[in-house]
C-alpha cells in the first residue's frame, strides 16, 4: 500500500472505533462520570473532610489526579478489549485480514480508538471534578504527556487481552483480577509514604503507581516517584507491549487458524 | 501468465491435528467461471480461507495473477474479493458503513468509495436499505451485502463461498444474472455451491474436492459428456400394469402411471418415444430424474470412497 492509502486505512479504523463509542455514549461516557462523581462526594467531601492534608494538599485535591488516571486506564483498556474481541467473535476482523491493510495500521487504529475514549473520559472526569475542587495544573506538558502515554499503554494491553481471549469471561478476568487491584493499590487514594517500608517496596513493582504519581506530579507538583522514572517506565512498557502485540497479530494468534 | 489462480500441493493441518487439505492442485484461468464443489467438510472453505489470508497454510503454494501469496501478500489481497460462507460483518453497523469501511481498508478514499458503493448497492437492490443496521436485513439481503462489500475495490478475482445458501429463487436468479454479467465484463469468478444446477448453468470449469483431495478437475462439458446414461421420469396417459418384457429400454416402474427410463447417451429422444409408442405406452410429460451433474457428482464421490476403503482393507490385510 502507498502511504496515502495507509493513511486512509488508518483513518477508517480510527473513525470507526471513535464512532462506535460515541454512538453508545450512554454505556461508554456516562458511567465513568457517575462513578467518579460518587467517588468525589464520598471520598473527597464526606470522608476527605475528616482526613488531614496530604503532602500539603486537601485530600480531595490529592485524589483527583488519581481518579482521573483511574478512569483513563479502565476506559482505554476496556474500549480496545471489547471492540477487538467482538470483531474476533463476530468475524468482522476478517474484513481487515483479507485486505492489504498492514498490521501496524490495524494496531494503531485500535490503539487510537482506545486512547480517544480514555482521553475523552479523562476530560469529562476532570470537568466533573471542577464542581468539587479548583484545579491548577503545575506542569501542563508533563500532565498531558503522562495521560496520553498511559492511555496508549493500556489500549495496547487491552488489545493483547482481546487477542488471547476465547470467551466473554476472558475479557473480564484480567480487568477484575489484575487491573483493578493494581489501580487501587497504585497510589490513587494514598501516598505510599503512609505505608510501612516493606509495603512501600512492594508497591514499587506496581507500574500503575508510576503513572498515577507522574500525573499527580504534573498537576500538583508532588509525587512519590521521580517523573523521569515514570516516563522511563511508560516508554519501556509501551515499546515492549507494542512489539508483542505486533508479533501476535503477525502470527495470527487467536484470529487465523 | 494465463491463470487467475494457481494452487500447487496445498496442504492444511489444523491445530487439532485434522488434515483438511492433503495436497491439492488447482488452476483457474483468467476470465473463467469456476465451480469448486464437494460435500460438507470436503475442504472448500479451508482452501478459500488460505487463498484469502484467513487461514495459515501448512504447505504448498498459492499464486494469484502471478503474485505469490507468501512473497506478495498485499498484491494478492488487492486482487481478490471474498464473499464468505458465514455472515461476518458487524451487525450493528449500517449497510453503507460496512461497505465504506471495507473500501477504507483497501485505501480507497471516501468520496470515491461513496460513488462506487452507491452503484453497487443499486445494482444489488440494497440502496433503499443503506442506512439500515445490518442485523435488520433478511438472509438474502445479507448475502447481497457481502457481495457488494466484496466488489468495492474492483477485484479481478471474486470468490464466493456458497453465496446462494438460503436465498429465494427469484433473488437467486437475479444473483446469477449479476454474476454472469460481472464475469462477461472480465472478472474471474470462483464459486462453491451445493446447488449443482447452479454450477451446471453458470460455470465453465469445475473441480470436485473430497476429503481434502481433488477427485476431479475438468471442464463442465467434458464432465457432462462422461454421463453414459440419462434417466427420465415419464408420467403416463394410461396406467401400465406390467412392463412389456420384450422392450429394448431399461424401464423401472414407480407406480402404475409413472415410469423411469434409462436412455443410453448414444440414443436420441426420438428413439425413446418410437420404442414406447411401439409398445403402446403414451407419455403425458417427462423430466430428468436428477440434475445431470448431480448424478456424476455422486458417482465421483462414491468412487473415491470405494478406493479409500479398498486401500484400507488391503493395508489391514498387510498388518494382519
Ligand atoms: N478451525 C478448524 N479447526 C479444526 N478443524 C477444522 C477447522 N475448520 C475446519 N475444520 C475441519 O476441516 C474440514 C474441512 O472444513 P471446510 O470448512 O473447509 O469444509 P467445506 O468443504 O467448506 O464444507 P461445507 O460445505 O460444509 O462448507 C472439516 O472436517 C472441518 O471440521
Ligand atoms: Mg464451507
Amino acid at each position: 500500500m502507498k502511504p496515502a492509502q495507509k493513511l486512509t486505512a488508518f483513518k477508517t479504523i480510527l473513525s470507526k472505533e471513535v464512532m462506535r463509542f460515541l454512538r453508545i455514549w450512554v454505556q461508554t461516557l456516562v458511567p465513568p462520570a457517575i462513578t467518579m462523581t460518587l467517588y468525589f462526594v464520598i471520598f473527597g467531601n464526606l470522608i476527605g473532610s475528616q482526613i488531614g492534608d496530604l503532602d500539603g494538599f486537601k485530600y480531595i485535591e490529592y485524589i483527583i489526579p488519581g481518579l482521573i488516571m483511574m478512569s483513563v486506564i479502565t476506559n482505554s483498556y476496556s474500549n480496545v478489549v471489547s471492540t477487538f474481541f467482538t470483531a474476533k467473535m463476530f468475524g468482522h476482523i476478517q474484513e481487515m485480514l483479507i485486505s492489504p491493510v498492514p498490521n501496524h495500521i490495524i494496531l494503531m487504529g485500535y490503539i487510537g480508538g482506545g486512547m480517544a475514549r480514555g482521553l475523552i473520559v479523562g476530560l469529562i472526569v476532570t470537568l466533573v471534578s471542577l464542581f468539587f475542587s479548583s484545579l491548577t495544573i503545575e506542569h501542563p506538558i508533563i500532565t498531558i504527556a503522562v495521560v496520553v502515554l498511559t492511555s496508549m499503554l493500556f489500549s495496547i494491553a487491552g488489545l493483547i487481552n482481546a487477542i488471547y481471549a476465547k470467551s466473554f469471561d476472558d475479557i473480564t478476568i484480567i480487568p477484575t483480577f489484575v487491573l483493578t487491584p493494581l489501580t487501587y493499590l497504585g497510589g490513587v487514594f494514598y501516598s505510599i509514604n503512609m505505608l510501612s517500608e516493606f509495603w512501600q517496596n512492594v508497591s514499587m513493582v506496581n507500574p500503575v503507581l508510576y503513572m498515577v504519581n507522574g500525573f499527580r506530579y504534573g498537576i500538583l507538583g508532588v509525587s512519590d516517584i521521580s517523573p523521569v522514572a515514570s516516563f522511563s517506565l511508560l516508554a519501556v512498557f509501551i515499546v515492549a507491549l507494542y512489539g508483542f502485540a505486533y508479533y501476535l497479530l503477525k502470527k495470527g494468534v487467536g484470529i487465523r487458524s | 501468465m494465463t491463470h487467475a489462480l494457481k494452487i500447487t500441493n496445498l496442504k492444511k493441518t489444523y491445530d487439532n491435528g485434522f488434515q483438511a487439505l492433503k495436497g491439492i492442485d488447482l488452476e483457474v484461468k483468467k476470465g473463467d467461471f469456476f465451480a469448486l464443489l464437494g460435500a460438507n467438510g470436503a475442504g472448500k472453505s479451508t482452501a478459500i480461507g488460505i487463498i484469502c489470508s484467513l487461514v495459515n497454510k501448512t504447505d504448498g503454494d498459492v499464486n494469484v495473477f502471478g503474485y505469490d501469496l507468501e512473497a506478495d501478500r498485499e498484491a494478492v489481497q488487492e486482487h481478490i474479493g471474498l464473499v464468505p460462507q458465514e455472515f461476518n460483518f458487524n451487525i450493528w453497523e449500517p449497510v453503507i458503513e460496512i461497505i465504506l469501511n471495507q473500501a477504507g481498508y483497501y485505501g480507497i478514499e471516501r468520496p470515491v468509495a461513496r460513488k462506487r458503493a452507491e452503484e453497487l448497492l443499486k445494482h444489488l437492490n440494497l440502496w433503499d436499505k443503506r442506512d439500515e443496521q445490518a442485523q435488520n436485513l433478511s438472509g438474502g439481503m445479507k448475502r447481497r451485502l457481502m457481495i457488494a462489500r466484496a466488489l468495492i475495490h474492483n477485484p479481478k478475482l471474486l470468490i464466493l463461498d456458497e453465496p446462494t445458501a438460503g436465498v429465494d429463487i427469484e433473488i437467486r436468479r437475479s444473483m446469477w444474472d449479476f454474476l454472469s454479467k460481472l464475469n462477461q465484463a472480465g472478472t474471474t469468478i470462483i464459486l462453491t455451491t451445493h446447488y449443482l444446477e447452479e454450477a451446471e448453468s453458470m460455470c465453465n470449469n469445475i473441480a470436485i474436492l473430497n476429503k481434502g483431495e481433488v477427485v476431479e478437475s475438468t471442464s463442465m462439458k467434458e464432465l457432462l459428456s462422461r454421463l453414459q446414461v440419462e434417466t427420465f421420469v415419464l408420467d403416463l396417459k394410461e396406467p401400465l400394469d406390467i412392463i412389456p418384457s420384450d422392450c429394448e429400454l431399461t424401464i423401472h416402474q414407480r407406480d402404475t402411471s409413472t415410469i423411469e427410463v434409462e436412455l443410453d447417451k448414444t440414443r436420441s429422444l426420438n428413439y425413446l418415444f418410437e420404442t414406447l409408442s411401439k409398445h403402446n405406452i403414451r407419455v403425458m410429460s417427462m423430466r430428468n430424474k436428477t440434475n445431470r451433474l448431480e448424478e456424476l457428482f455422486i458417482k465421483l464421490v462414491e468412487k473415491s470412497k470405494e478406493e479409500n476403503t479398498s486401500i484400507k482393507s488391503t493395508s489391514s490385510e498387510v498388518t494382519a
Side-chain angles (χ1 to χ4, degrees):
Chain A
M1 275 183 132
K2 296 191 197 85
Q5 291 177 305
K6 286 183 189 170
L7 184 66
T8 305
F10 172 71
K11 283 196 292 193
T12 304
I13 303 175
L14 181 63
S15 71
K16 177 179 68 113
E17 286 300 294
V18 173
M19 289 312 291
R20 187 199 73 97
F21 73 73
L22 290 182
R23 196 165 51 215
I24 50 169
W25 58 278
V26 181
Q27 296 164 51
T28 51
L29 304 181
V30 176
I34 294 178
T35 319
M36 287 306 145
T37 307
L38 293 173
Y39 273 110
F40 292 145
V41 171
I42 296 168
F43 289 97
N45 283 358
L46 301 180
I47 300 178
S49 58
Q50 309 289 312
I51 302 175
D53 286 1
L54 254 175
D55 285 347
F57 290 94
K58 282 197 286 186
Y59 188 62
I60 186 152
E61 288 170 335
Y62 189 83
I63 63 168
I64 282 173
L67 289 173
I68 295 172
M69 213 50 168
M70 190 160 111
S71 332
V72 172
I73 289 172
T74 23
N75 281 279
S76 302
Y77 191 93
S78 67
N79 195 71
V80 183
V81 82
S82 64
T83 138
F84 197 84
F85 181 70
T86 322
K88 218 174 83 166
M89 282 314 271
F90 288 88
H92 43 271
I93 188 79
Q94 292 176 2
E95 293 173 342
M96 287 176 217
L97 299 182
I98 63 166
S99 71
V101 48
N103 289 325
H104 279 301
I105 300 289
I106 298 180
L107 277 177
M108 289 194 281
Y110 274 95
I111 294 167
M115 289 171 68
R117 160 115 165 249
L119 295 174
I120 289 177
V121 167
L123 190 66
I124 292 173
V125 174
T126 309
L127 295 176
V128 170
S129 78
L130 294 178
F131 290 101
F132 300 89
S133 169
S134 62
L135 179 76
T136 39
I137 298 174
E138 214 51 45
H139 310 285
I141 295 177
I142 291 183
T143 307
I144 290 173
V146 171
V147 73
V148 167
L149 292 177
T150 304
S151 73
M152 184 185 289
L153 173 57
F154 282 94
S155 297
I156 306 173
L159 196 109
I160 293 173
N161 187 173
I163 288 178
Y164 279 112
K166 292 203 164 66
S167 68
F168 280 96
D169 288 340
D170 294 346
I171 65 170
T172 54
I173 285 176
I174 304 283
T176 314
F177 292 100
V178 181
L179 205 54
T180 310
L182 283 184
T183 343
Y184 276 75
L185 299 173
V188 171
F189 297 102
Y190 54 84
S191 159
I192 57 163
N193 292 328
M194 296 156 70
L195 305 177
S196 69
E197 202 179 321
F198 174 76
W199 287 110
Q200 279 191 33
N201 289 333
V202 172
S203 295
M204 295 303 278
V205 301
N206 178 358
V208 178
L209 183 79
Y210 295 73
M211 300 165 209
V212 168
N213 274 283
F215 192 63
R216 183 172 287 134
Y217 176 80
I219 292 186
L220 303 178
V222 297
S223 169
D224 294 342
I225 307 273
S226 95
V228 177
S230 294
F231 279 111
S232 315
L233 179 122
L234 274 166
V236 169
F237 268 84
I238 286 173
V239 170
L241 290 193
Y242 186 91
F244 186 51
Y246 179 75
Y247 162 81
L248 293 175
L249 205 58
K250 194 171 156 70
K251 251 189 83 182
V253 174
I255 50 175
R256 232 183 261 130
S257 39
Chain B
M1 181 208 33
T2 54
H3 66 264
L5 171 71
K6 191 170 178 180
I7 290 177
T8 327
N9 191 30
L10 188 65
K11 292 182 183 163
K12 174 64 188 178
T13 306
Y14 280 107
D15 288 342
N16 62 5
F18 183 81
Q19 197 181 9
L21 294 177
K22 299 171 182 164
I24 61 166
D25 296 302
L26 272 185
E27 186 167 338
V28 178
K29 297 249 180 301
K30 269 187 193 169
D32 202 357
F33 205 136
F34 190 93
L36 182 61
L37 305 183
N40 289 141
K44 305 179 297 292
S45 298
T46 301
I48 291 172
I50 295 172
I51 300 164
C52 297
S53 303
L54 294 174
V55 175
N56 291 325
K57 67 179 189 191
T58 306
D59 198 11
D61 288 308
V62 175
N63 190 294
V64 175
F65 293 107
Y67 296 104
D68 179 70
L69 182 66
E70 287 291 283
D72 274 315
R73 190 174 290 274
E74 270 190 25
V76 170
Q77 288 169 319
E78 270 161 18
H79 281 94
I80 303 181
L82 170 68
V83 179
Q85 182 171 5
E86 314 279 350
F87 299 133
N88 71 341
F89 39 76
N90 185 340
I91 55 169
W92 296 288
E93 266 172 23
V95 168
I96 187 83
E97 283 301 314
I98 290 172
I99 310 234
L100 294 177
N101 284 339
Q102 185 69 69
Y105 305 149
Y106 288 95
I108 303 167
E109 290 186 32
R110 278 277 146 136
V112 182
R114 260 182 212 293
K115 266 177 82 180
R116 184 143 177 79
E118 178 174 348
E119 229 171 81
L120 280 168
L121 288 176
K122 281 183 176 161
H123 268 302
L124 286 156
N125 283 325
L126 278 176
W127 182 242
D128 293 343
K129 299 277 178 188
R130 63 188 178 279
D131 295 321
E132 196 75 53
Q133 269 191 359
Q135 61 179 338
N136 298 337
L137 299 186
S138 77
M141 292 174 188
K142 287 176 181 154
R143 293 265 163 222
R144 280 178 284 150
L145 163 60
M146 295 207 296
I147 295 181
R149 185 183 63 178
L151 291 172
I152 192 68
H153 60 296
N154 264 323
K156 281 161 76 181
L157 170 63
L158 177 66
I159 303 179
L160 304 111
D161 200 347
E162 291 187 36
T164 49
V167 171
D168 75 38
I169 299 167
E170 200 187 328
I171 305 276
R172 196 183 307 162
R173 293 207 182 271
S174 77
M175 264 164 70
W176 292 353
D177 202 44
F178 180 83
L179 293 176
S180 297
K181 279 192 190 128
L182 199 68
N183 179 241
Q184 276 154 24
T187 309
T188 310
I189 300 181
I190 301 175
L191 174 107
T192 83
T193 180
H194 291 293
Y195 302 109
L196 297 182
E197 178 202 352
E198 182 166 297
E200 189 182 333
S201 68
M202 289 203 293
C203 301
N204 314 318
N205 289 294
I206 180 171
I208 298 180
L209 269 183
N210 191 42
K211 300 201 174 119
E213 285 170 310
V214 174
V215 292
E216 194 54 74
S217 181
T218 179
S219 75
M220 191 65 75
K221 255 202 197 121
E222 196 277 330
L223 190 66
L224 290 172
S225 74
R226 271 191 241 162
L227 207 58
Q228 300 297 325
V229 288
E230 208 165 341
T231 311
F232 295 99
V233 180
L234 307 180
D235 298 311
L236 306 181
K237 187 154 194 231
E238 296 116 20
L240 187 70
D241 292 330
I242 35 162
I243 298 162
S245 54
D246 59 341
C247 182
E248 301 86 339
L249 291 160
T250 318
I251 301 181
H252 302 284
Q253 199 157 14
R254 270 201 188 172
D255 53 54
T256 50
S257 55
T258 322
I259 56 170
E260 286 177 11
V261 184
E262 280 180 16
L263 182 66
D264 199 276
K265 268 301 264 263
T266 54
R267 301 286 194 179
S268 67
L269 276 177
N270 297 54
Y271 169 77
L272 174 103
F273 287 116
E274 278 162 18
T275 316
L276 291 175
S277 308
K278 215 165 66 189
H279 293 282
N280 271 327
I281 300 174
R282 275 174 225 295
V283 180
M284 290 297 289
S285 63
M286 92 184 257
R287 59 186 179 274
N288 277 89
K289 185 181 176 191
T290 47
N291 171 275
R292 296 180 298 165
L293 187 56
E294 209 160 295
E295 272 176 45
L296 270 168
F297 178 82
I298 290 166
K299 275 191 195 129
L300 280 166
V301 169
E302 285 198 332
K303 197 177 104 202
S304 77
K305 213 184 272 172
E306 274 162 28
E307 278 165 9
N308 275 343
T309 43
S310 68
I311 291 166
K312 267 185 209 130
S313 56
T314 40
S315 62
S316 63
E317 272 166 33
V318 175
T319 41

